[in-house]
């Protein structure tokens, strides 16, 4: 029925019927049948035109032409599949690379949290300009929470790990403590049960309840729909589960996950600083009251803050270095905290620039191929123009073709991107400290790919479209081949394109070289330790010890057990480990030395068991390491590293000197030894001044220590026996984060490895594409000069002269490109400066290596066509004329 | 492509074809050929409709919702589209007729003095 209602259906029948009626009328008037029909046709007019006009009422003319063009384009592709495949593949690689990097860029830099109206959420930040960072303490939080005039809701969270036991396995879950209104303020979607209510966050009165994440629900409970009401033991307390959050919600810190959420009241009060003498990095998150601007809210918040820090009990906050004129401000919280973004921003920008260059190289290739095709199609173009096709119409036809190629290439590129994304996800999402990213394709990425494909299609299609429709009709129709021969023009457009490609290639390859060498520099950096054969694991002793003094005893027992194994050489326990520790820094006082500002006296502190230095392979410079003399009851001993010895004692011997931590005069320490400097914060930073004290003299409770073992052979072989050994000692201890020192260092270099890996992949891709481009241009050049070369050979020119001439031509083109590339590289690699280590962005060696690589590529790409030129048969060539 | 038969036939003014079609269909549904014939006959063969130009016009009117069509079987047992006026088309016809009368009067006022001289 609906089909019948389409007015255009059977239009030709309508017209035929019309003409037959008219013919019949004419016959009835006495006209002979043949003449009757002729007159009827005449009266009707041009049937084709009528049909076109009628159709145009419904279908715009451009659409119909588009349909024609598309059909025509597909016919063209089928006739020359090799040409279409080359262009499509080239573009697919370029667009695929862009899509892959953009997917990561989108996930890290652009993605907003999957919560309700994320744009209304703000962090309260303190500090000036870029350095403003969220932070809080409990009384301050209450003041902000009281500003219900500007905020519809205020919440905070404290990140934590939980010891979760279900059945007989104990494990560490990632989690957070939150205020009772957390889920309501953020508008966290729940797939099961409920979020917290304020009643859940009421001090010690009730038992705590837990909300778990979708991922944790799937992993621990296999998505059991009956999970609500089940209880789990979290940090030793039976806790019922009341809700499951929707997938894709992982708290406010992108990249990390939240398995379990507990109300803040379940948190030991000392950890969310309740007293007036602390400040934590737990962010305050606030949702604006409708109608209030962020500016109004910011001034309200700053008023609260200024009042707060002016009160006598909080005045100390102003004494924090850099905090004397601090203001409170609002930071948009819609994308979560900025940690991961700050860490990856410059890397991702560099990668986006690189893939853009790869795509430009790809476009140049595609343009080149299309132009070569255009030459072959000159006759077709000439024929179409001579029967009245307008040049605009032909340009549109060419552009339709290039857009189609780009869209097909884009679709294929999208598939390629999935492969690349899987590789990237494997790199960042595994290992001991995985970054959690949702890299599933989404609408934003899809739109990006589509827009990019269209832009690429126009970019590489425009020049050939104009070039190829500029034909000399007469000569083209005569079959003299080719568009207007570019007599007198030294450089063809195609040669310029290849030179540009080579230039971009130099840029990419030298960038890749710099990043690769940065990774190598960091990996091989001397860090003061022997990184081989060290196995480490974290030991969570929360809730298992009654008093702080028990921890050293536990460590001794555990180490005695572990080091009795034949495959363990030595073992240690410590609060921190080298290379990548969170560590605390405290100012050190050295009585009798010249006064120094507090900031300059900051030392990194670590508490270690005696075998720490042997286990990590840290050289002892002078004095001794800790031993049985440094027991809990003995006088306090300390070991300093060389940097600290140099700073505090210059040329004097530090051994035997007495020092104490700032404001801790009652606990003087005697320096007993000096050890080699070790890197502590990150591989990019210099070793800090360090003071070691014996773990045996621990005075404050500690919930987490790292156990390190130096093994005889492959440390990973031991990894599986660690848990049973610990379990045998105590069933309550949880072993977490088992890794070797090599893995630990690898984990700190994930970003660098990602950059090096991707940039070299893009470099190779660029080389390959340029090689193809160069080969195409040289081959075309040889084909065009066949007659010329034939005459030369006939006149007796040696073949190697011909080879030399062809290669020299290619080298000229690529040298020009290379020079401009080097200039661009010198200017652009400065963008990379912040990412480099141990090498400057203008490193001459790297840039010249890149240039040499391009030179070799040029030789390779031009050799085959040159050989072909030299093996021409002059007689055959001349006869063909 | 006009038929050069009669010198005294007048080519149709732009846009007036729509009005004529609407007027013709007011008498009842008709197929394309009948509409063309009706216009020619109604004007005593003075107005010359290039019959083909009827079709884009018919489709334009369908698109605007002024006329509609049905499939019917004509006297010689052929399937053909029968076009008919819609309620909106009827209203439009009134408007267009009014507009045409105004235009015709205006043109006549301008031309009459010139004709008297």
């Amino acid at each position: 029925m609906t089909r019948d209602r389409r007015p255009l259906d059977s239009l030709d029948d309508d017209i035929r019927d019309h003409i037959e009626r008219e013919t019949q009328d004419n016959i009835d008037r006495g006209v002979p049948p043949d003449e009757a029909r002729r007159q009827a046709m005449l009266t009707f007019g041009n049937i084709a035109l009528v049909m076109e006009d009628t159709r145009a009422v419904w279908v715009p003319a451009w659409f119909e032409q588009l349909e024609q063009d598309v059909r025509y384009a597909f016919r063209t592709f089928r006739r020359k599949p090799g040409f279409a495949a080359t262009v499509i593949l080239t573009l697919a690689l370029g667009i695929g690379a862009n899509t892959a990097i953009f997917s990561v860029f989108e996930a890290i830099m652009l993605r907003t949290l999957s919560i309700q109206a994320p744009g209304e959420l703000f962090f309260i930040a303190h500090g000036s300009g870029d350095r403003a960072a969220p932070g809080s303490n409990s009384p301050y939080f209450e003041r902000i929470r009281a500003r219900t005039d500007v905020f519809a809701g205020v919440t905070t969270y404290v990140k934590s790990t939980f010891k979760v036991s279900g059945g007989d396995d104990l494990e560490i879950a990632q989690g957070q403590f939150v205020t009772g209104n957390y889920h309501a303020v953020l508008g966290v979607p729940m797939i099961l049960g409920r979020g917290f209510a304020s009643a859940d966050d009421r001090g010690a009165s009730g038992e705590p309840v837990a909300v778990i994440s979708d991922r944790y629900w799937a992993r621990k409970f296999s998505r059991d729909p009956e999970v609500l009401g089940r209880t789990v033991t979290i940090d030793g307390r039976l806790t019922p589960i009341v809700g499951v959050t929707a997938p894709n919600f992982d708290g406010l810190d992108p990249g990390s996950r939240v398995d379990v959420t507990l109300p803040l009241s379940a948190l030991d009060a000392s950890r969310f600083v309740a007293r007036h003498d602390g400040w934590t990095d737990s962010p305050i998150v606030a949702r604006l009251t409708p109608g209030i601007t962020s500016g109004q809210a910011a001034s309200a918040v700053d008023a609260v803050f200024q009042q707060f820090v002016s009160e006598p009990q909080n005045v100390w906050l102003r004494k924090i270095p850099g905090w004397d004129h601090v203001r409170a401000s609002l930071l948009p919280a819609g994308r979560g905290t900025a940690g991961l973004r700050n860490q990856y921003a410059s890397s991702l920008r560099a990668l986006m620039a690189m893939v853009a260059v790869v795509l430009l190289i790809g476009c140049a290739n595609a343009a080149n191929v299309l132009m070569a095709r255009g030459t072959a199609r000159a006759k077709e173009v000439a024929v179409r123009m001579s029967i009245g096709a307008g040049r605009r119409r032909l340009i549109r036809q060419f552009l339709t073709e290039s857009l189609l190629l780009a869209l097909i290439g884009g679709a294929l590129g999208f598939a390629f991107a999935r492969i690349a994304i899987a590789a990237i996800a494997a790199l960042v999402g595994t290992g001991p400290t995985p970054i959690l990213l949702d890299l599933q394709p989404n609408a934003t990425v899809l739109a990006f790919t589509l827009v990019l494909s269209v832009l690429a299609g126009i970019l590489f299609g425009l020049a050939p479209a104009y070039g190829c429709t500029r034909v000399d009709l007469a000569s083209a129709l005569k079959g003299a081949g080719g568009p207007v021969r570019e007599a007198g023009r030294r450089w063809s457009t195609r040669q310029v394109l290849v030179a540009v490609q080579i230039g971009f290639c130099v840029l990419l390859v030298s960038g890749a070289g710099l990043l690769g060498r940065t990774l190598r520099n960091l990996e091989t950096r001397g860090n003061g330790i022997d990184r081989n054969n060290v196995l480490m694991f974290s030991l969570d002793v929360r809730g298992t010890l009654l008093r702080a003094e028990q921890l050293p005893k536990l460590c001794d027992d555990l180490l005695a057990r572990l080091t009795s194994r034949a495959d363990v050489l030595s073992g240690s326990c410590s609060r921190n480990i080298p290379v990548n520790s969170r560590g605390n820094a405290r100012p050190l006082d050295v009585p009798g030395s010249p006064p120094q500002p507090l900031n300059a006296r900051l030392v990194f502190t670590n508490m270690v068991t005696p075998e720490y230095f042997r286990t990590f392979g840290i050289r002892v410079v002078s004095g001794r390491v800790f031993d049985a003399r440094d027991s809990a009851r003995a006088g306090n001993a300390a070991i300093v590293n060389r940097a600290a010895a140099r700073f505090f004692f210059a040329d004097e011997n530090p051994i035997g000197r007495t020092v104490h931590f700032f404001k801790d005069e009652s606990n003087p320490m005697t320096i007993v030894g000096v050890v080699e400097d070790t890197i502590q914060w990150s591989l990019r930073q210099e070793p800090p001044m360090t003071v070691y004290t014996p773990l045996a003299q621990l005075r404050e409770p500690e919930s987490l220590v790292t156990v390190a073992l130096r093994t005889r052979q492959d440390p990973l072989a031991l990894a599986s026996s660690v848990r049973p050994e610990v379990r045998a000692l105590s069933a309550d201890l949880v072993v977490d984060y088992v890794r070797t020192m090599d893995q630990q260092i690898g984990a700190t270099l994930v970003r660098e490895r990602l950059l090096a890996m991707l940039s070299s992949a893009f470099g190779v891709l660029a080389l390959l594409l340029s090689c193809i481009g160069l080969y195409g241009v040289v081959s075309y050049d040889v084909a065009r000069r066949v007659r010329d070369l034939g005459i030369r050979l006939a006149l007796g020119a040696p073949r190697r002269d011909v080879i030399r001439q062809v290669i020299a031509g290619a080298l000229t083109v690529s040298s020009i490109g290379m020079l401009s590339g080097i200039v661009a590289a010198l200017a652009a690699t400065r963008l990379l400066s912040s990412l480099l280590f141990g090498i400057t962005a203008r490193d001459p060696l790297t840039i010249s290596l890149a240039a040499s690589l391009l030179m070799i590529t040029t030789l390779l790409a031009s050799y085959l066509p040159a050989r072909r030129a030299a093996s021409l048969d002059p007689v055959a060539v001349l006869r063909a004329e | 492509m006009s038929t050069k038969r009669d010198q005294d036939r007048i080519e149709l003014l732009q846009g007036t074809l729509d009005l004529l079609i609407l007027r013709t269909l007011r008498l009842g549904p008709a197929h394309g050929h009948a509409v063309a014939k009706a216009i020619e006959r109604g004007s005593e063969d003075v107005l010359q409709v290039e019959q083909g130009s009827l079709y884009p016009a018919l489709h334009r009117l369908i698109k605007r919702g002024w006329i509609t069509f049905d499939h019917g079987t004509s006297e010689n047992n052929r399937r053909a589209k029968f076009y008919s006026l819609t309620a909106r088309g009827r209203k439009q016809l009134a408007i267009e007729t009014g507009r045409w009368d105004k235009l015709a009067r205006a043109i006549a006022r301008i031309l009459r003095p010139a004709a008297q001289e």
Side-chain angles (χ1 to χ4, degrees):
Chain A
M1 196 63 199
T2 42
R3 218 184 107 79
D4 263 358
R5 296 305 302 170
R6 285 194 349 223
L8 276 182
D9 284 352
S10 66
L11 176 65
D12 40 358
D13 284 348
D14 294 347
I15 292 175
R16 198 177 308 124
D17 175 60
H18 184 118
I19 289 171
E20 276 168 24
R21 282 168 199 275
E22 181 73 15
T23 310
Q24 193 57 51
D25 280 7
N26 292 344
I27 290 172
D28 292 351
R29 284 212 317 261
V31 185
D34 279 2
E35 176 62 11
R37 184 162 181 81
R38 200 186 68 85
Q39 279 183 15
M41 299 278 277
L42 223 48
T43 320
F44 191 84
N46 183 336
I47 294 176
L49 200 65
V50 165
M51 286 186 66
E52 195 172 313
D53 284 351
T54 309
R55 255 200 298 271
V57 170
W58 301 100
V59 187
W62 63 264
F63 188 82
E64 210 170 334
Q65 284 179 5
L66 181 71
E67 204 188 313
Q68 280 172 17
D69 285 353
V70 169
R71 222 174 299 129
Y72 187 80
F74 275 117
R75 260 208 312 275
T76 314
F77 299 161
R78 264 203 300 278
R79 220 179 305 138
K80 282 271 179 183
F83 137 81
T86 310
V87 174
I88 288 172
L89 202 63
T90 300
L91 291 170
L93 290 171
I95 293 173
N98 275 273
T99 301
I101 296 304
F102 180 77
S103 299
V104 182
F105 185 85
E106 191 269 338
I108 293 182
M109 303 301 293
L110 307 179
R111 182 95 44 91
T112 49
L113 301 168
S114 1
I115 52 177
Q116 180 201 327
E120 296 172 359
L121 283 180
F122 289 89
F123 292 119
I124 315 288
H126 312 87
S128 44
D130 293 349
R131 308 255 302 272
S136 62
N137 67 16
S138 184
Y140 177 62
F141 173 72
E142 293 304 334
R143 305 274 184 95
I144 298 285
R145 171 136 75 172
R147 288 306 298 262
T148 49
D149 54 332
V150 287
F151 294 131
V154 180
T155 179
T156 185
Y157 61 95
V158 180
K159 275 293 177 77
S160 186
T161 53
F162 298 123
K163 222 153 90 173
V164 182
S165 54
D168 56 3
D169 72 310
L170 252 171
E171 67 156 21
I172 299 290
Q174 301 295 319
Q176 59 182 358
F177 294 101
V178 303
T179 59
N181 59 352
Y182 178 86
H183 295 108
V185 170
L186 298 188
V188 179
M190 309 293 296
I191 45 171
L192 219 57
R194 59 175 180 90
F196 288 150
S198 41
D200 295 321
D201 190 23
R202 285 285 154 71
S205 57
E207 59 172 4
V209 290
V211 163
I212 60 174
S213 72
D214 174 69
R215 186 182 299 103
Y216 197 65
W217 181 42
R219 186 160 63 81
K220 289 288 283 185
F221 301 98
S222 317
R223 297 190 187 280
D224 175 8
E226 304 290 309
V227 73
L228 298 183
R230 278 177 67 170
T231 53
V232 280
T233 308
I234 301 176
D235 285 351
R237 297 175 72 176
L238 275 177
T239 313
I241 294 167
V242 297
V244 181
T245 56
N248 298 331
F249 179 76
D250 270 292
L252 296 184
D253 301 323
S256 68
R257 65 177 210 270
V258 167
D259 298 327
V260 175
T261 302
L262 292 185
L264 206 48
S265 58
L267 171 61
D268 176 1
S270 69
R271 297 202 21 222
F272 182 55
V273 182
R275 295 159 297 162
H276 290 282
D277 57 354
W279 188 261
T280 74
D281 56 4
S282 290
I284 300 177
V285 198
R287 187 180 287 280
L288 292 186
T289 297
I292 297 290
T293 67
S294 58
Q296 290 167 322
S299 37
V301 160
D302 190 44
V304 172
F305 179 72
Q306 299 304 342
Q307 164 71 29
F308 185 74
V309 293
S310 67
E311 290 164 15
Q313 72 272 30
N314 299 320
V315 160
W316 68 273
L317 278 168
R318 289 196 190 275
K319 300 219 174 76
I320 297 177
W323 266 47
D324 33 356
H325 298 295
V326 165
R327 297 179 61 80
S329 56
L330 296 186
L331 283 182
R335 291 177 296 162
T337 50
L340 190 67
R341 287 198 295 281
N342 291 344
Q343 200 187 341
Y344 276 92
S346 49
S347 310
L348 285 172
R349 265 183 226 122
L351 285 172
M352 290 289 282
M354 284 182 211
V355 287
V357 169
V358 171
L359 184 58
L360 286 177
I361 293 175
C363 282
N365 252 11
N368 255 338
V369 174
L370 282 191
M371 277 194 217
R373 278 280 293 143
T375 314
R377 284 169 72 178
K379 193 163 179 181
E380 171 205 326
V381 168
V383 168
R384 293 186 65 187
M385 279 178 121
S386 60
I387 57 170
R391 185 165 174 214
R392 286 171 68 106
R393 184 76 185 77
L394 281 177
I395 287 177
R396 202 159 70 192
Q397 162 71 50
F398 272 83
L399 275 183
T400 307
E401 268 185 42
S402 60
L403 275 176
L404 263 185
L405 288 171
L407 287 174
I408 300 172
L412 191 60
F414 200 79
F416 284 174
R418 298 310 307 163
I419 301 171
I421 288 169
I424 295 172
L427 190 67
V428 301
T430 55
T433 45
I435 299 170
L436 199 73
L437 290 179
D438 174 16
L439 292 172
Q440 290 307 306
N442 59 35
T444 316
V445 172
L446 216 60
F448 173 85
T449 309
L450 189 65
V451 169
L452 197 68
S453 307
V454 170
L455 285 181
I458 293 173
L459 186 66
F460 77 77
L462 217 48
Y466 275 95
C468 297
T469 51
R470 196 180 52 216
V471 289
D472 175 6
L473 282 188
S475 71
L477 286 176
K478 256 185 286 166
V484 197
R485 230 198 100 144
E486 292 157 335
R489 241 169 97 190
R490 282 203 51 78
W491 279 59
S492 67
T493 320
R494 307 190 59 206
Q495 283 170 317
V496 173
L497 280 175
V498 164
V500 169
Q501 275 187 322
I502 303 273
F504 277 144
C505 214
V506 171
L507 197 66
L508 272 187
V509 172
S510 51
L514 290 171
L515 291 167
R517 289 182 63 191
T518 293
L519 177 64
R520 208 181 127 69
N521 287 346
L522 285 168
E523 269 180 338
T524 57
R525 184 174 186 199
N527 42 31
I529 62 165
D530 176 4
R531 63 189 274 181
N532 298 314
N533 292 356
V534 177
L535 185 75
M536 303 179 289
F537 60 91
S538 306
L539 191 65
D540 195 317
V541 297
R542 237 177 315 161
T544 59
L545 301 171
L546 295 175
R547 293 185 309 279
E549 308 89 88
Q550 287 177 309
L551 181 60
K553 167 80 170 66
L554 178 78
C555 288
D556 284 347
D557 292 350
L558 181 61
L559 289 176
R561 212 189 154 81
L562 288 167
T563 51
S564 68
R565 292 175 62 105
D567 46 2
V568 177
L569 291 173
S570 72
S572 70
C573 289
S574 55
R575 283 179 65 176
N576 288 306
I577 52 156
V579 178
N580 184 28
S581 45
R582 301 218 178 82
N584 348 25
R586 300 172 72 180
L588 189 71
D589 278 348
V590 179
S593 71
Q596 300 270 7
L598 272 188
N599 267 349
R601 283 188 282 143
L602 281 175
V603 295
F604 176 81
T605 68
N606 198 356
M607 302 192 83
V608 303
T609 57
E611 291 287 278
Y612 178 86
F613 303 100
R614 193 177 149 213
T615 305
F616 283 107
I618 301 169
R619 194 170 67 87
V620 180
V621 177
S622 64
R624 64 170 176 90
V625 294
F626 302 128
D627 56 30
R629 279 171 280 178
D630 308 305
S631 67
R633 278 171 295 280
N636 295 343
I639 293 172
V640 296
N641 70 349
R642 287 209 305 162
R646 205 179 315 119
F647 178 82
F648 289 105
F649 305 103
D651 308 327
E652 298 168 39
N653 183 6
I655 300 199
R657 296 285 295 264
T658 305
V659 297
H660 61 84
F661 288 118
F662 182 57
K663 286 189 165 173
D664 201 14
E665 292 85 348
S666 54
N667 284 304
M669 305 173 288
T670 308
I671 296 175
V672 299
V674 178
V675 295
E676 188 55 71
D677 295 342
T678 52
I679 285 175
Q680 292 294 343
W681 308 116
S682 87
L683 285 167
R684 282 174 185 266
Q685 281 168 299
E686 289 307 305
M689 299 192 289
T690 308
V691 174
Y692 299 92
T693 54
L695 191 69
Q697 293 168 359
L698 188 73
R699 292 196 304 267
E700 283 172 357
E702 184 64 60
S703 57
L704 201 70
V705 289
T706 302
V707 181
L709 301 173
R710 175 156 294 279
T711 59
R712 210 176 283 282
Q713 273 123 26
D714 181 14
L716 278 176
L718 194 65
S720 57
S721 8
V722 159
R723 273 174 223 270
E725 293 277 5
V726 173
R727 179 71 50 87
L729 191 67
S730 160
D732 291 337
L733 294 172
V734 184
V735 171
D736 192 31
Y737 196 8
V738 182
R739 75 281 191 195
T740 66
M741 191 43 133
D742 269 339
Q743 289 175 324
Q744 169 93 52
I745 291 174
T748 67
L749 293 176
V750 161
R751 193 186 68 175
E752 283 75 11
R753 185 161 295 116
L754 187 72
L755 271 174
M757 181 185 92
L758 291 174
S759 64
S760 42
F762 300 147
V764 169
L765 197 56
L767 274 176
L768 197 70
L769 292 179
S770 304
C771 198
I772 295 172
L774 202 59
Y775 174 83
V777 165
V778 176
S779 307
Y780 173 69
D781 196 45
V782 167
R784 215 183 49 173
R785 285 167 47 197
V786 154
R787 186 162 154 245
D788 191 29
L789 294 169
I791 292 175
R792 263 163 200 264
L793 288 170
L795 291 179
R799 292 188 184 271
R800 69 168 186 283
D801 279 7
V802 171
I803 293 187
R804 196 178 303 147
Q805 196 199 354
V806 171
I807 292 183
L811 279 179
T812 316
V813 172
S814 75
S815 306
I816 305 271
M818 219 176 301
L819 280 180
S820 37
I822 290 173
V823 172
L826 287 177
T829 44
R830 275 194 299 175
L831 292 174
L832 291 178
S833 284
S834 67
L835 302 171
L836 301 182
F837 181 83
I839 193 169
T840 67
R842 298 180 167 198
D843 183 62
L845 180 63
T846 307
I847 294 180
S848 31
L849 275 176
S852 325
L853 202 55
L854 263 294
M855 200 59 91
I856 294 169
T857 309
T858 309
L859 289 177
L860 284 177
S862 54
Y863 182 68
L864 277 183
R867 275 288 301 272
R868 212 160 43 230
S871 56
L872 284 173
D873 177 1
V875 180
V877 168
L878 294 178
R879 194 171 286 157
E881 273 297 307
Chain B
M1 267 149 253
S2 59
T3 54
K4 298 160 276 181
R5 278 188 304 192
D6 312 57
Q7 296 298 324
D8 49 349
R9 295 183 98 185
I10 301 172
E11 280 205 44
L12 214 47
L13 273 174
Q14 184 106 40
T16 46
L17 183 56
D18 290 3
L19 175 60
L20 293 178
I21 293 173
L22 291 177
R23 180 67 185 77
T24 309
L25 290 179
R26 209 182 66 159
L27 306 172
H31 51 73
H33 184 252
V35 174
K37 281 290 152 195
I39 292 174
E40 280 172 14
R41 265 199 305 278
S43 69
E44 293 162 345
D45 282 344
V46 175
L47 285 182
Q48 165 208 328
V49 179
E50 188 174 279
Q51 294 180 350
S53 66
L54 200 64
Y55 286 87
L58 281 168
H59 281 256
R60 213 160 33 237
L61 295 176
I62 294 172
K63 197 179 176 192
R64 289 180 188 153
W66 294 346
I67 66 176
T68 179
F69 66 93
D70 253 314
H71 291 284
T73 316
S74 58
E75 54 278 18
N76 50 4
N77 215 9
R78 250 196 313 259
R79 270 166 68 82
K81 283 198 186 84
F82 276 78
Y83 304 93
S84 57
L85 214 53
T86 64
R88 278 175 63 197
R90 216 168 283 280
K91 223 177 287 169
Q92 191 61 30
L93 176 60
I95 298 169
E96 296 277 326
T97 313
R99 201 176 284 157
W100 174 258
D101 286 346
K102 244 160 123 184
L103 179 70
R105 271 200 301 277
I107 291 176
R109 259 201 301 278
I110 298 166
L111 295 181
R112 204 182 304 125
Q116 283 169 347
E117 269 178 348

